[in-house]
Amino acid sequence: MRATQMFVKRLDGGVLLPKVARVHAVGRRPLTPDGLPILDRVHPFESLFIATGHSMLGITLAPASGQAMAGYVLSGTRPELLEPFRLRRFAATR
Ligand SMILES: Cc1cc2nc3c(=O)[nH]c(=O)nc-3n(C[C@H](O)[C@H](O)[C@H](O)COP(=O)(O)OP(=O)(O)OC[C@H]3O[C@@H](n4cnc5c(N)ncnc54)[C@H](O)[C@@H]3O)c2cc1C
């Protein structure tokens, strides 16, 4: 949950989601090893982007993730905001 709270703070600056409530949840969620989503371009493919691993907050975070990724796709420039969510952060563990 701590990783998710950090993610929310980074992604929207705490404006839309100042707090993530502690909840008891059931069902399977797409979790990455560090609990943060993957929002990135898949190298070496110029036109392949990935936005997944939103764990238990994917519906809530969809507008922020979508907006950030749309800006990335349209401009070709990776927003600084997306820096913690690079796919390659898992490369060293493989
Ligand atoms: C019961 C339930 C209730 C929820 N309620 C809420 C809520 O109230 N509010 C909220 O914000 N969020 C909620 N969520 C969470 C939200 O649904 C998810 O965070 C969101 O769907 C994740 O979106 P995503 O695009 O990151 O991943 P997904 O939409 O799950 O997409 C991941 C995709 O990757 C595929 N995949 C997985 N592993 C591999 C692999 N190795 N190779 C290739 N493909 C793979 C999967 O088949 C899937 O199609 C809930 C989830 C559940 C299960």
Side-chain angles (χ1 to χ4, degrees):
M1 183 57 90
R2 187 172 172 209
T4 303
Q5 289 171 324
M6 287 171 52
F7 164 57
V8 171
K9 193 173 178 185
R10 283 177 184 160
L11 200 57
D12 83 346
V15 175
L16 296 175
L17 298 167
K19 290 182 183 175
V20 177
R22 287 187 176 275
V23 294
H24 181 75
V26 295
R28 301 183 73 178
R29 273 76 170 173
L31 270 166
T32 60
D34 62 6
L36 299 176
I38 299 166
L39 304 169
D40 205 355
R41 186 163 71 86
V42 181
H43 297 277
F45 307 105
E46 289 292 324
S47 303
L48 179 59
F49 292 81
I50 185 169
T52 193
H54 288 82
S55 64
M56 60 288 281
L57 285 173
I59 297 168
T60 308
L61 296 174
S65 283
Q67 186 176 43
M69 287 301 291
Y72 186 13
V73 171
L74 292 174
S75 71
T77 303
R78 184 181 178 80
E80 180 66 27
L81 179 71
L82 296 182
E83 198 54 38
F85 313 120
R86 284 189 181 276
L87 175 60
R88 74 176 182 213
R89 70 187 190 271
F90 302 116
T93 61
R94 290 188 177 175

